[in-house]
Structure formats: C-alpha cells, structure tokens
Amino acid sequence: MNHTSIRTSGTVLSALLYQCTNSETDIEGFLMGITATRTIGAIDDISDQSSDTTEQLTIIEGHCACRSRFYNAQGQIDVENLYNQLGDKKKNVIGYFRFRRQSMLTLSVREESLLSNLHAVLPQFRGMAILTASLVEENDVSTHAHDIAFWDTERHEKIPINIVNMTESTLAYQQFVPSSTLTNPELLNGINTQNIISQYDSVYHKAMEAFNNVTQTVIKKEQELQLLMNELEKVNSNSNSVRTHSPAISH
C-alpha cells in the first residue's frame, strides 16, 4: 500500500504564515525541502500476516519569496528568469506557494497551468500550496483564520499535510524522518548514524534485560510471600484445632 503526504514542522509553517500575514500584499514563492520514501511493516494480531506500507514523503524545510514574476497570465514560465532567481537552490525546490486574503482555497486555471509548467523544469518539484487568510468575524480585523492546502503535480488533487513535531514513537526510530529545518548541514559531517543506532539498540537491550531481572525478582519474592502466608494459615488452623479439642477445666 502506498501513501503520499506532505510533512513539515510547526516552526517552518509558522515562519511561512508569519511572513504571509505581515506582508502588505499577497505574496508567493518557493517551498524548499527534500523528498523521502520509507516502508513500515505491520503484523496483524489475529492472522499473524504482515503487510508493508510505503510512504512517499515531501518534506518542507523552508521557503523563499519570489523577487519578481517569472510567468505570464497563462501560467507560462520564463525559464531563464526562474533559474536566475533560484540559482543553486533550484534542485531543492519541492513546491510553490501562493498567499491570498479573503479568497477561496482552490486552484485557478492559471495556477494549474503554472503547477504543470514548474513540474516540467524543476527536478524535485512536487506540487503547489495555497494559503489563505480570512477574518474570523466581519467586524474584527485583529483576528484571522488561516487555511492551507497542497495539490500534487500528477492529478492536481489535494494531498494530506502533516505537522510533525517529534511526536512519532521512539520504537520506530530506524524509520524516523526529520521535519525540521537544517540550517547548517556541516554539523552532520562528523556523525555516524550507524553508531547512534547501535548505541540506541545497546541501551534498549540493557534496559529490557534489567527490566526482566527485576520482574523475575518480584515473581520470586511473591512466591516466597505466598509460601509464608500458607505456613501462617496452616499454623493458625492447627492452633484453632487445638483449642477446639482441649478438655474443659472444672473448679
């Protein structure tokens, strides 16, 4: 089974919304990030059958606003203008965003054309996000509601957006996919991920071994306590029997 979804962190999304909300006009720009695939296995408790779920992830790690319009009213692209704006970043562009106020959360005909044309010239491009802002109450200009949706490049259909802030179970650490912005990739040069996994496994197995030892100790103590309680019950039973059969003393 295959699933496609968008992932980002709360900090990345809030930074994007902050820039959009504080802009004097509607803005648009590029979504930067990576794509990833992971497979998660599951075992049915009833049938003992295993199944694999493959996730196609588009991970948004940041954004940058457009400096100038690089397409016309029909959504046709000036490729030279586009590449000049992006420079070396074009290989990291995984999407495009447009922010509108008091607008429907839908793609226009021009945006659909732009979506297809960007997909044709950017290698990692996966879709377009539309962000909107509207007043919660008509007479209250200080409170706004924001909506966001993401459309894929294949069928121009909405796909789920997941906001992930380290909420996944640590039991799935080997399938963990980060969703936060990596501002300094050089920090990872000296990190050996296999060593980290090996150390995690070592700590996990030692913890389980200690847990099993404690469990066995508790079971042993409970058995000893049960034996003592049986002995005490036996003594009390014998004591009551002696009192019952003792002859009465007359004066």
Side-chain angles (χ1 to χ4, degrees):
M1 184 181 298
N2 295 331
H3 295 290
T4 301
S5 64
I6 306 298
R7 285 167 60 108
T8 190
S9 67
T11 54
V12 172
L13 180 59
S14 62
L16 174 59
L17 290 174
Y18 179 83
Q19 182 172 1
C20 292
T21 303
N22 287 278
S23 65
E24 295 182 357
T25 60
D26 295 349
I27 66 172
E28 55 193 274
F30 304 96
L31 299 172
M32 321 301 288
I34 60 173
T35 58
T37 302
R38 71 173 180 179
T39 301
I40 299 177
I43 299 178
D44 192 301
D45 292 336
I46 299 176
S47 64
D48 289 334
Q49 293 182 345
S50 61
S51 61
D52 292 335
T53 300
T54 301
E55 294 181 287
Q56 305 290 338
L57 304 175
T58 299
I59 303 170
I60 301 173
E61 296 181 334
H63 72 279
C64 64
C66 284
R67 299 195 303 268
S68 62
R69 181 70 64 86
F70 59 88
Y71 59 91
N72 60 20
Q74 289 75 40
Q76 297 172 338
I77 294 174
D78 181 344
V79 178
E80 183 178 357
N81 185 352
L82 173 65
Y83 285 174
N84 286 337
Q85 287 196 51
L86 292 175
D88 294 337
K89 295 180 180 179
K90 67 180 181 180
K91 63 180 181 297
N92 298 323
V93 175
I94 50 88
Y96 195 77
F97 75 89
R98 300 198 72 201
F99 172 71
R100 304 193 293 253
R101 292 179 172 88
Q102 302 297 113
S103 174
M104 297 291 290
L105 196 64
T106 58
L107 284 179
S108 66
V109 175
R110 178 173 59 182
E111 287 164 346
E112 289 185 355
S113 175
L114 179 61
L115 175 58
S116 298
N117 291 331
L118 284 172
H119 178 53
V121 297
L122 295 174
Q124 299 296 328
F125 193 80
R126 292 295 182 271
M128 179 179 290
I130 300 296
L131 299 95
T132 63
S134 57
L135 297 177
V136 175
E137 296 183 8
E138 185 175 352
N139 298 324
D140 182 8
V141 297
S142 63
T143 306
H144 296 78
H146 292 89
D147 288 309
I148 181 173
F150 196 95
W151 283 263
D152 68 1
T153 57
E154 301 297 331
R155 296 180 296 274
H156 294 184
E157 294 181 350
K158 289 182 182 180
I159 55 179
I161 301 176
N162 298 318
I163 312 302
V164 181
N165 293 303
M166 295 295 291
T167 58
E168 294 182 321
S169 169
T170 55
L171 295 178
Y173 66 95
Q174 289 178 319
Q175 289 83 34
F176 174 75
V177 178
S179 299
S180 60
T181 305
L182 186 59
T183 57
N184 189 4
E186 290 78 11
L187 291 175
L188 297 182
N189 289 342
I191 298 178
N192 189 320
T193 55
Q194 290 301 320
N195 286 343
I196 295 176
I197 293 176
S198 177
Q199 292 170 8
Y200 189 103
D201 282 335
S202 177
V203 172
Y204 176 79
H205 289 304
K206 288 180 179 179
M208 292 304 298
E209 183 179 357
F211 177 77
N212 289 332
N213 290 338
V214 170
T215 301
Q216 294 302 319
T217 300
V218 171
I219 292 174
K220 183 179 179 180
K221 294 298 182 181
E222 288 183 342
Q223 291 173 344
E224 293 176 355
L225 178 61
Q226 187 62 48
L227 289 175
L228 290 174
M229 292 179 65
N230 292 340
E231 289 292 334
L232 181 60
E233 184 178 355
K234 185 177 180 180
V235 170
N236 289 336
S237 178
N238 291 338
S239 177
N240 292 333
S241 176
V242 169
R243 290 195 191 98
T244 303
H245 295 89
S246 294
I249 300 176
S250 58
H251 296 282

